[in-house]
Amino acid sequence: MSPIPLFDRHREADFAMFSPSHWITLAVIAGVCFLLYTMRHPLAASPSRRRNFRILLAVLLLLCEAGLHVWYLSQSIWKASSSLPLELCGITLLLSAVMLLTRSRLLYSFLYFAGIGGAWIALLTPNLVYPFPHVRFLLFFIAHGAIIWASLYMTWVEGFRPSWRSIAFTMLILNLIAVLVYGANLLLGSNYMFLMHKPGTASVLDFFGPYPYYLLAEEGFALLIFVLMYGCFFALPGVMRRER
């Protein structure tokens, strides 16, 4: 057993969804989103501040991923079948770091929907068993929060905007990624992106029926979320501005 219980893979209690610690953590993440929004103009006014913030956020994302692998190795539980960054949020985390460092509009058009949408669902229904303040709890919520912050930063500070075409592009790339990850699952005997069966913890997939039907329902749910994300935050405000 590890000498530091907060790092040990053994635990005395399980994470409880919508517990006080869960709600407080969600509130903190939302608070950072609000702070980022209020600071958008000062950040945008300075090229050096924009560059430094992008680098800082990219480093935070990569440190979260590196910290997770360090923890796996320290507990002697790193396995190719469960520890590779082949979950959707693991993939969007790495792509978000690249987007921040390169200011890629192509990655943004994918990550605004897949990154924010996927991380938001993961934050609400975490596939997590370690409670606060275990290192896995902290890494999970910081990483997923930072995925959201990355795309919001590119929207609010760098002035990037998605389009209706971005939704079609995102759905296409998501399905391509799913095909590749499915192949990896067959080779590794894994369940990345829950393409082989549902997770052991409660999730939104519980509402989508049994395997493999929940995969089709998940497609429709993702499309609905993406349409709402674009309609509520871009299409509708644009219409209202034109009517004034």
Side-chain angles (χ1 to χ4, degrees):
M1 181 176 292
S2 168
I4 306 177
L6 298 183
F7 286 80
D8 197 274
R9 66 189 178 95
H10 302 286
R11 61 194 185 279
E12 297 180 355
D14 288 338
F15 169 80
M17 193 182 303
F18 303 131
S19 60
S21 62
H22 187 193
W23 282 117
I24 291 171
T25 305
L26 292 177
V28 170
I29 292 171
V32 174
C33 293
F34 178 76
L35 181 62
L36 178 60
Y37 181 77
T38 61
M39 294 296 294
R40 67 194 186 282
H41 295 310
L43 283 171
S46 169
S48 62
R49 280 198 291 263
R50 294 202 308 270
R51 181 182 65 253
N52 292 338
F53 192 90
R54 290 199 312 272
I55 293 173
L56 179 64
L57 193 48
V59 169
L60 176 63
L61 285 161
L62 295 175
L63 284 177
C64 285
E65 183 65 23
L68 179 60
H69 290 279
V70 168
W71 183 81
Y72 283 141
L73 292 169
S74 72
Q75 301 299 310
S76 301
I77 58 174
W78 194 99
K79 297 186 296 182
S81 61
S82 60
S83 306
L84 293 173
L86 293 180
E87 301 290 359
L88 177 59
C89 288
I91 294 168
T92 58
L93 182 151
L94 296 176
L95 292 179
S96 292
V98 175
M99 173 188 67
L100 289 165
L101 296 175
T102 63
R103 299 181 73 248
S104 170
R105 292 184 180 274
L106 186 65
L107 285 177
Y108 169 81
S109 66
F110 170 73
L111 291 168
Y112 173 79
F113 296 107
I116 294 178
W120 172 67
I121 295 296
L123 288 170
L124 286 178
T125 59
N127 181 31
L128 182 69
V129 295
Y130 293 93
F132 178 85
H134 195 278
V135 66
R136 285 293 307 279
F137 179 101
L138 298 176
L139 288 173
F140 180 94
F141 282 98
I142 293 172
H144 287 79
I147 292 170
I148 294 174
W149 302 331
S151 288
L152 291 181
Y153 166 83
M154 298 303 291
T155 303
W156 292 337
V157 179
E158 298 289 341
F160 286 20
R161 294 291 184 271
S163 66
W164 287 115
R165 290 182 180 180
S166 301
I167 298 177
F169 175 70
T170 300
M171 294 299 296
L172 175 64
I173 298 302
L174 280 176
N175 280 278
L176 177 60
I177 289 173
V179 169
L180 297 175
V181 172
Y182 183 81
N185 284 336
L186 293 177
L187 290 173
L188 299 172
S190 53
N191 186 36
Y192 291 116
M193 290 181 65
F194 310 122
L195 294 175
M196 315 308 284
H197 57 80
K198 294 181 183 180
T201 56
S203 75
V204 69
L205 299 182
D206 294 334
F207 298 100
F208 294 162
Y211 181 89
Y213 303 109
Y214 72 81
L215 298 175
L216 296 175
E218 191 177 19
E219 291 258 344
F221 180 72
L223 180 59
L224 174 62
I225 292 297
F226 298 162
V227 169
L228 290 175
M229 287 174 64
Y230 183 77
C232 293
F233 297 107
F234 292 98
L236 184 59
V239 171
M240 293 175 66
R241 283 194 298 270
R242 288 193 296 269
E243 291 180 349
R244 289 178 181 174

